[in-house]
């Protein structure tokens, strides 16, 4: 598919009907990224709070919600976060 510019814990590949392909991934430092395979542009996505970091080996895509779900850590708390990729 592509060589990502950062090491990663998990990823999801999305190919659209328009022919555009994107790789969403959780980098090893806990940031969520979008990599456009056509333009080779890597964008770190804003998770609303700088302390929120994706963690673990899972990045789940919900087609119905058009969003990514992933485990996160924030300070000493952990949980599951959802990121809407409708505009991505």
């Amino acid at each position: 598919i592509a060589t990502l510019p950062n090491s990663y814990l998990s990823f999801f590949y999305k190919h659209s009907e328009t022919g555009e392909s994107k790789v969403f991934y959780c980098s090893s430092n806990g940031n969520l990224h979008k990599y456009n395979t056509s333009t080779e542009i890597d964008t770190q996505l804003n998770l609303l709070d700088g302390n929120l970091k994706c963690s673990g080996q899972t990045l789940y895509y919900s087609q119905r919600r058009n969003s990514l779900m992933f485990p996160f850590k924030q300070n000493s708390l952990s949980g599951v976060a959802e990121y809407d990729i409708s505009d991505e």
Side-chain angles (χ1 to χ4, degrees), residues 1-2 4 8-16 20-27 31-37 42 45 54 56-70 83-86 88:
I1 300 172
L4 299 175
Y8 61 90
L9 299 171
S10 54
F11 71 92
F12 170 73
Y13 172 76
K14 183 177 184 186
H15 183 75
S16 70
E20 188 174 67
S21 296
K22 297 175 185 171
V23 178
F24 294 89
Y25 68 98
C26 179
S27 65
N31 296 315
L32 188 62
H33 289 257
K34 171 183 72 176
Y35 181 77
N36 186 313
T37 61
D42 184 69
L45 302 175
C54 54
Q57 303 293 320
T58 304
L59 192 56
Y60 172 78
Y61 173 69
S62 170
Q63 185 174 11
R64 184 176 63 84
R65 298 172 66 95
N66 198 30
S67 64
L68 297 170
M69 291 173 229
F70 54 91
Y83 188 87
D84 182 5
I85 60 171
S86 298
E88 300 297 338

